[in-house]
Amino acid sequence: MKFINLHKAILNSMSEAVYVVDRDMDILYSNPAAERLTGFSPQESVGQVCHDIFCERSALCSGICPPRRVMQEQTPVLHKDAETRTKSGEVRQTQISISPFYEKEECVGAVLIIKDVTDLKVAEEKIRKQNVFLTAVIDALPHPFTVIDAETHHLKLANYAAYPGKLPENMACHELSHLSDAPCSGSDHPCPFEKVKETGQPVTVEHTHCGADGKCRDMEVHCFPIFDDRGTLVQVIEYCIDISERKQATAEREKLIKDLQKAVDDVKTLQGLLPICAGCKKIRDDKGYWNTIESYISEHTDAEFTHGLCPDCITRLYPGYANRRKQG
């Protein structure tokens, strides 16, 4: 008797609903947790057919009734998704485990343990919707966005801009960005992971990434560490911004500034004192060479020369021609 009372006390203390049914599906026992789940007291449940108390008879119980199958096949069923109807008519999402029980080696019934997972299912659905939303947001980003395993460098997630298709299993980040079998190294392509490991802080580096089409682009790589509860670096979030056009514009701007500075320097040279020969009028440059006025000014400015003769020089060099012009 003590043994029976002990077993009953154990069943009554369980947080999951427990029902015992015979081979006719009549309820022989229900514990207090079963009443909390369905609203039916043990007095209301015992002696009733189980589907009149808690079975929803939904598509989840397709084919033969699960307890009947367990008793026929004498094989337990664990954690089967089910729906349980309460006394008020509410349908709860549950998981049911069923085991046959025996008397003198004969299966005489089944024990059903029912766990209410409604809140869990609601939470799972909420998480699923959040994942769908976040995936849509990440895929909408115009820049490549990836999550990378810090130990293996394998890609755990990649948005459409990073990899437009199903991500191959165990694909490393350097295979995607550099078409290389080895991780980044050297001063020209420092591995962001190593910098993150050293500092434990977000890191920004510049890399040249090449695509499968052979085209290479200058990228600004931003890496953010993800740590586990023990503070161990487990993953890295990486997103890349294409700065090719920005770098090209910067180079063009620097060249323009350099050209303008040179022009300014040249103008300043002409504004200073020019050593000029009093006889032939040649100008001495900063290297000590004497240059004609034309060549010196042409070299230091954008001016170009055309040659002709002024009236005084015509008279001096060609007096006959000058007189005829005056008489004519």
Side-chain angles (χ1 to χ4, degrees):
M1 183 63 68
K2 287 184 178 180
F3 185 74
I4 295 175
N5 290 336
L6 175 62
H7 280 68
K8 188 173 182 180
I10 292 173
L11 293 174
N12 286 342
S13 67
M14 291 181 63
S15 59
E16 289 86 9
V18 178
Y19 286 96
V20 179
V21 299
D22 61 18
R23 294 191 72 97
D24 294 325
M25 305 305 296
D26 291 335
I27 297 174
L28 303 178
Y29 167 83
S30 67
N31 69 346
E35 181 178 0
R36 292 193 295 271
L37 173 63
T38 65
F40 290 102
S41 67
Q43 293 77 16
E44 294 173 299
S45 301
V46 173
Q48 301 295 318
V49 180
C50 67
H51 58 70
D52 289 335
I53 298 299
F54 61 82
C55 181
E56 178 57 19
R57 288 182 172 177
S58 68
L60 296 175
C61 293
S62 59
I64 190 171
C65 172
R68 290 187 186 276
R69 174 174 293 176
V70 166
M71 288 185 283
Q72 288 180 6
E73 299 178 358
Q74 298 186 25
T75 302
V77 170
L78 301 178
H79 311 303
K80 177 180 174 60
D81 285 336
E83 293 177 336
T84 299
R85 185 182 65 244
T86 68
K87 187 175 182 179
S88 64
E90 180 186 5
V91 176
R92 305 289 292 178
Q93 301 298 313
T94 54
Q95 280 186 347
I96 184 170
S97 296
I98 310 169
S99 298
F101 78 92
Y102 303 86
E103 285 185 359
K104 298 180 181 180
E105 298 183 357
E106 179 185 357
C107 179
V108 295
V111 178
L112 294 79
I113 300 176
I114 305 174
K115 181 178 181 179
D116 189 348
V117 294
T118 303
D119 293 340
L120 177 62
K121 292 292 185 181
V122 170
E124 287 177 348
E125 179 62 15
K126 184 177 180 180
I127 292 173
R128 187 193 68 81
K129 289 182 178 179
Q130 287 177 339
N131 286 339
V132 170
F133 172 75
L134 290 175
T135 299
V137 170
I138 292 173
D139 274 339
L141 295 174
H143 306 300
F145 181 99
T146 56
V147 177
I148 308 167
D149 186 275
E151 186 67 26
T152 64
H153 292 201
H154 289 165
L155 295 167
K156 297 299 182 181
L157 181 149
N159 70 345
Y160 186 83
Y163 194 90
K166 184 178 180 181
L167 190 65
E169 187 176 356
N170 296 332
M171 185 179 196
C173 59
H174 45 82
E175 293 180 278
L176 176 62
S177 59
H178 296 286
L179 306 179
S180 171
D181 294 332
C184 307
S185 62
S187 58
D188 56 338
H189 278 85
C191 180
F193 290 104
E194 297 303 322
K195 288 184 172 290
V196 170
K197 288 179 181 178
E198 290 174 8
T199 64
Q201 299 294 323
V203 169
T204 301
V205 299
E206 289 188 9
H207 276 194
T208 300
H209 287 183
C210 298
D213 57 1
K215 295 181 179 179
C216 296
R217 308 286 292 178
D218 293 316
M219 308 296 287
E220 187 177 78
V221 183
H222 298 260
C223 290
F224 297 85
I226 300 176
F227 301 98
D228 62 14
D229 294 338
R230 295 173 294 179
T232 302
L233 179 68
V234 291
Q235 292 178 333
V236 170
I237 295 174
E238 177 181 293
Y239 75 88
C240 305
I241 300 176
D242 190 337
I243 58 172
S244 301
E245 294 181 0
R246 188 175 77 189
K247 291 193 72 172
Q248 181 180 354
T250 299
E252 292 175 353
R253 183 172 64 252
E254 290 176 351
K255 182 179 182 301
L256 177 61
I257 293 174
K258 185 177 180 180
D259 291 343
L260 290 174
Q261 186 63 49
K262 183 177 183 301
V264 170
D265 292 341
D266 290 342
V267 170
K268 287 182 178 178
T269 300
L270 294 180
Q271 287 179 342
L273 294 174
L274 297 179
I276 187 170
C277 175
C280 66
K281 307 302 181 184
K282 288 184 178 180
I283 299 175
R284 189 182 67 218
D285 60 23
D286 53 1
K287 296 180 181 179
Y289 295 103
W290 291 91
N291 303 274
T292 63
I293 291 179
E294 294 94 329
S295 63
Y296 187 87
I297 293 178
S298 296
E299 182 179 351
H300 290 79
T301 69
D302 290 332
E304 295 182 357
F305 286 87
T306 61
H307 290 81
L309 292 173
C310 68
D312 292 340
C313 288
I314 291 175
T315 301
R316 180 171 58 84
L317 296 174
Y318 305 101
Y321 175 74
N323 290 331
R324 287 195 299 271
R325 287 188 61 187
K326 290 179 181 180
Q327 294 173 1

